[in-house]
Amino acid sequence: MTHAYVLTLSCPDQLGLVHAVSGFLLEHSGNIEEAAQYNDAATGLFFMRVQFACTVHDHATLLEQMAHFAQNYQMHWSLHALAQPMPTVLLVSREGHCLNDLLFRWKSGLLPVDIRAIISNHRDFYQLAASYNIPFHHIPVTAATKAQAEARQYEIIQAEGAELVVLARYMQVLSDDFCTKLAGRAINIHHSFLPSFKGAKPYYQAHDRGVKLIGATAHYVTADLDEGPIIEQDVTRADHTDTVETLTARGRDTESQVLARAVKWHSEHRVLLNGHKTVIFR
């Protein structure tokens, strides 16, 4: 039986890395189907993503052999079997455009994710979750209960085996401890073309400044609010006739598209962290 895998790696750059990785896969009967690499001259790091098929070795054997190989090159690496969609938990508050878009794309087979739960600090979308047969967890959050609420959220995330957590317009600032626990596997959509107009009500800020472009930014969650590594951004035109309401409406469409692309690339293992930036092999 043929199994498909994705290998991602980063390490200090040196001559012959592509040859070495290709040779390793050849030695283990791996047939390369897609490959991309990038050398960051500023940091001296090498990044690579390889999708390959293998009929001889199982996942466990490849993991063991790759661990030995990677030691020689100081590699940070991961190997994923493509047959299993990425277990995912969605968080949302009271604006459902991103949630609804992700659910539709998932159900239509457009996202390689397995949405296992929806968590919200409001009850607004329990019927939407039920229509997709997804467990819905209502966990109210106040200043006094924030720690307990996050503990319960994390318990659900861990119980569902989530490799990806998506803040689909979840309008609560996560604690530093929660951000640390979710490092590298939590994506947020910010309704602004970061780094401009951070924090609350960015469309009001944009309107007040008379901007000609509005946008959205999908980024990894870190303890520094709205400062995490950026995965994807997009913009739409604005002019002097726009109101806050029309800007917001167009912005929501952009948010949904940007978040969907970020989720897709992450779940296809196309995003590699490069310090406070990302390398994305589309």
Side-chain angles (χ1 to χ4, degrees):
M1 181 181 294
T2 301
H3 298 282
Y5 301 94
V6 168
L7 170 66
T8 58
L9 61 91
S10 63
C11 63
D13 190 25
Q14 61 178 279
L15 289 174
L17 284 172
V18 173
H19 176 76
V21 174
S22 301
F24 168 82
L25 294 176
L26 177 61
E27 290 173 9
H28 294 83
S29 302
N31 181 37
I32 295 176
E33 299 175 337
E34 181 182 330
Q37 65 276 334
Y38 169 67
N39 303 70
D40 188 344
T43 62
L45 293 176
F46 172 83
F47 300 84
M48 191 172 189
R49 178 188 185 274
V50 185
Q51 184 172 319
F52 66 96
C54 186
T55 59
V56 177
H57 300 296
D58 60 15
H59 195 186
T61 301
L62 287 171
L63 285 170
E64 181 182 355
Q65 295 299 317
M66 184 64 198
H68 292 299
F69 169 77
Q71 286 180 348
N72 298 322
Y73 300 95
Q74 304 176 55
M75 286 182 178
H76 296 282
W77 62 277
S78 60
L79 181 69
H80 304 274
L82 288 182
Q84 179 62 47
M86 183 173 288
T88 301
V89 170
L90 307 180
L91 274 67
V92 66
S93 289
R94 307 193 85 161
E95 295 189 36
H97 51 285
C98 288
L99 173 67
N100 196 49
D101 182 79
L102 290 174
L103 291 174
F104 177 80
R105 291 175 191 266
W106 163 67
K107 200 66 172 180
S108 302
L110 300 175
L111 294 175
V113 297
D114 176 13
I115 300 177
R116 298 188 174 181
I118 296 172
I119 300 172
S120 180
N121 53 330
H122 299 280
R123 296 185 184 275
D124 300 48
F125 300 113
Y126 78 93
Q127 289 179 316
L128 178 62
S131 71
Y132 284 93
N133 198 30
I134 299 174
F136 182 85
H137 302 273
H138 175 225
I139 304 176
V141 181
T142 66
T145 65
K146 186 180 183 70
Q148 295 92 327
E150 289 190 342
R152 176 58 183 145
Q153 291 168 349
Y154 188 65
E155 181 181 298
I156 294 167
I157 290 167
Q158 293 299 93
E160 296 294 351
E163 298 175 19
L164 173 61
V165 176
V166 182
L167 277 60
R169 293 304 304 274
Y170 181 68
M171 305 307 291
Q172 291 286 324
V173 177
L174 304 187
S175 69
D176 290 359
D177 178 63
F178 203 16
C179 290
T180 299
K181 290 177 179 176
L182 298 179
R185 59 169 170 154
I187 295 175
N188 185 37
I189 183 67
H190 186 79
H191 45 306
S192 174
F193 191 48
L194 293 175
S196 299
F197 308 124
K198 302 173 186 177
K201 295 188 175 181
Y203 291 123
Y204 286 81
Q205 298 177 52
H207 181 261
D208 183 61
R209 294 293 300 274
V211 302
K212 305 309 178 190
L213 287 172
I214 59 170
T217 302
H219 63 92
Y220 286 111
V221 174
T222 65
D224 296 321
L225 182 63
D226 299 334
E227 295 282 357
I230 292 171
I231 305 169
E232 173 62 340
Q233 295 180 293
D234 207 348
V235 295
T236 187
R237 299 294 307 183
D239 65 30
H240 64 279
T241 66
D242 280 308
T243 64
V244 170
E245 289 73 23
T246 59
L247 285 179
T248 302
R250 285 214 303 280
R252 284 173 176 167
D253 290 338
T254 306
E255 293 164 32
S256 298
Q257 295 169 29
V258 168
L259 182 58
R261 288 198 291 268
V263 169
K264 186 174 190 296
W265 295 339
H266 178 93
S267 57
E268 292 177 345
H269 312 288
R270 297 185 180 277
V271 186
L272 282 71
L273 287 173
N274 182 17
H276 62 274
K277 301 188 292 183
T278 57
V279 173
I280 301 176
F281 294 120
R282 302 182 193 177

